Amino acid sequence: MRISAGKLKGRNILAPEGREVRPTSAKVRESIFDSLQAQVGGSRFLDLFAGSGAVGIEAFSRGASEVYFCERGRDVLPLLKQNVALLKGAGKVYEGDSFALLERLPGAFDIIFADPPYKEDCLERICAVCVRRGLLAEDGIIVYEHAAEKKVAAPEGFRIIKSKRYGSAALEYIRRGSICAVTGSFDPMTRGHVEVVRRALKMFDKAAVVIAVNDTKPSAFPLAVREKIAKKALEGLENVSVDICEGYVYKYCNKKGIPVIVRGLRGEQDREYEEFMARYNLEKGGVSTVFTSAEGLTDISSTALRKALAEEDDEAIERLCAPGTSRIVKEEYKKLHAAGGK
């Protein structure tokens, strides 16, 4: 076997003979790191059931700063140690049963690769130890390899963000917690938008606020300014991120492993359009939509806020703006107005 990319590209890895050890194929390794390319650099990487250590060594070659290897097979351990010598001190080999070793490994890992014998079904056990010992970093990911004919479900508190099949092998990419997207143009974000995010957080562990481009209507605030206002509006809420999507929302959700969109319904006038978009996102990308009532928020909208800004109605601006954002909203509006913006 050879390392396929990075600083050790082309270097040979010693591989054990026989059927007891089943090295992860070059095709599967390449797919793993194509999927994880943005997360590998500087990461702490754990290669459970390491075998030859090919996956962990590939991780180091592609930028992981520290790699731990767990292996119990006496026949393969000498080869593993020889292979890990390529890492020149950045790799640590732990000998013994992987689950016993999980109980004493130090710190949290950004990426955990687990390739147990296909006859074993141990994802739930791995996830349980990770939770109990804090072994998975906050934004960490578990890559679980298993036999393709076996169906794998995410344990409670985890979600599968991507699944891949390669002949007899399959990969599941798994993160902690449930997540939804709260989408909109947020032009700009209002008190009502923040309330929808709050309600979303009662249903999901995390909420990704996605500022989307709406080609059917001109925008008043540039995307970067909308992002700035949204981050200020949401800075008091935990487990919320803010991002910009300039393409299809369902494609963004698919890429990020987000299965559900949460939308607020202000009234019947919104329902036809919202239900159309819900069907569209489900049919195109398999992303479902959950509607939350906007009871008490029907008169709060970005349109009303922009009207108040144009009329310099400070009382209405304070009522419509997300808490703590009126100053920044007025400042940004004045800049755009002075520059000829709407």
Side-chain angles (χ1 to χ4, degrees):
M1 290 191 297
R2 292 177 182 271
I3 298 298
S4 62
K7 54 194 170 189
L8 297 180
K9 182 178 179 180
R11 297 293 292 270
N12 285 318
I13 297 175
L14 299 172
E17 297 180 357
R19 297 185 179 181
E20 291 301 314
V21 177
R22 172 189 36 76
T24 298
S25 71
K27 180 180 180 180
V28 175
R29 279 187 281 126
E30 194 160 344
S31 175
I32 290 170
F33 291 103
D34 283 347
S35 297
L36 298 177
Q37 57 183 325
Q39 295 144 281
V40 175
S43 66
R44 293 186 84 234
F45 192 101
L46 174 59
D47 190 350
L48 275 175
F49 313 96
S52 67
V55 174
I57 294 168
E58 187 90 37
F60 173 78
S61 182
R62 293 174 183 250
S65 62
E66 193 175 11
V67 184
Y68 286 66
F69 301 82
C70 295
E71 178 56 49
R72 68 182 178 185
R74 293 182 179 179
D75 293 338
V76 74
L77 273 166
L79 295 180
L80 173 61
K81 290 177 180 179
Q82 289 183 64
N83 289 335
V84 173
L86 291 171
L87 278 60
K88 300 187 182 301
K92 298 176 176 62
V93 176
Y94 282 72
E95 301 180 29
D97 177 78
S98 290
F99 291 104
L101 295 173
L102 282 173
E103 297 293 345
R104 58 188 183 91
L105 288 173
F109 295 91
D110 302 294
I111 303 169
I112 297 175
F113 174 70
D115 178 18
Y118 280 0
K119 64 183 179 181
E120 296 184 20
D121 185 6
C122 51
L123 176 59
E124 188 167 348
R125 191 176 175 189
I126 291 169
C127 291
V129 177
C130 285
V131 170
R132 179 163 48 79
R133 295 209 60 237
L135 289 177
L136 190 63
E138 182 177 350
D139 292 319
I141 189 166
I142 297 172
V143 182
Y144 185 71
E145 183 174 344
H146 62 95
E149 68 267 18
K150 282 190 175 182
K151 288 189 176 181
V152 171
E156 185 176 352
F158 289 80
R159 57 193 170 93
I160 294 174
I161 64 170
K162 184 190 295 186
S163 299
K164 291 283 188 178
R165 299 292 183 270
Y166 308 89
S168 62
L171 294 173
E172 310 295 340
Y173 294 79
I174 300 157
R175 289 191 186 277
R176 288 286 304 273
S178 58
I179 188 170
C180 69
V182 180
T183 63
S185 54
F186 303 113
D187 190 26
M189 180 166 279
T190 67
R191 184 181 300 273
H193 293 135
V194 175
E195 181 57 28
V196 171
V197 175
R198 289 184 187 277
R199 293 175 187 181
L201 287 171
K202 292 180 180 179
M203 297 182 278
F204 298 88
D205 297 319
K206 296 181 180 180
V209 173
V210 181
I211 302 171
V213 175
N214 188 336
D215 293 328
T216 65
K217 60 183 180 182
S219 60
F221 291 82
L223 283 168
V225 173
R226 283 184 260 166
E227 181 183 30
K228 180 181 178 181
I229 293 169
K231 286 182 175 179
K232 178 65 177 176
L234 299 166
E235 65 182 6
L237 297 180
E238 295 183 356
N239 299 319
V240 177
S241 62
V242 179
D243 203 358
I244 291 172
C245 170
E246 298 191 60
Y248 292 105
V249 167
Y250 74 83
K251 289 187 176 181
Y252 175 94
C253 290
N254 287 167
K255 183 178 179 181
K256 298 291 185 178
I258 301 174
V260 179
I261 292 170
V262 174
R263 298 280 293 176
L265 274 178
R266 285 201 308 268
E268 288 303 314
Q269 70 271 19
D270 289 347
R271 187 173 294 278
E272 184 177 354
Y273 171 77
E274 291 292 349
E275 289 182 347
F276 167 79
M277 290 307 303
R279 288 194 300 272
Y280 180 85
N281 288 319
L282 183 61
E283 291 169 4
K284 291 289 186 179
V287 180
S288 59
T289 300
V290 172
F291 294 112
T292 180
S293 169
E295 184 180 351
L297 307 172
T298 52
D299 63 338
I300 299 176
S301 68
S302 295
T303 301
L305 177 52
R306 293 194 299 270
K307 182 174 183 289
L309 287 165
E311 296 174 353
E312 298 184 356
D313 185 343
D314 286 342
E315 183 177 343
I317 292 170
E318 287 293 337
R319 180 177 63 83
L320 295 166
C321 273
T325 65
S326 59
R327 182 183 62 81
I328 188 174
V329 169
K330 287 191 285 187
E331 287 176 356
E332 293 295 341
Y333 182 82
K334 285 178 182 178
K335 287 179 190 177
L336 291 169
H337 186 71
K342 293 183 180 180

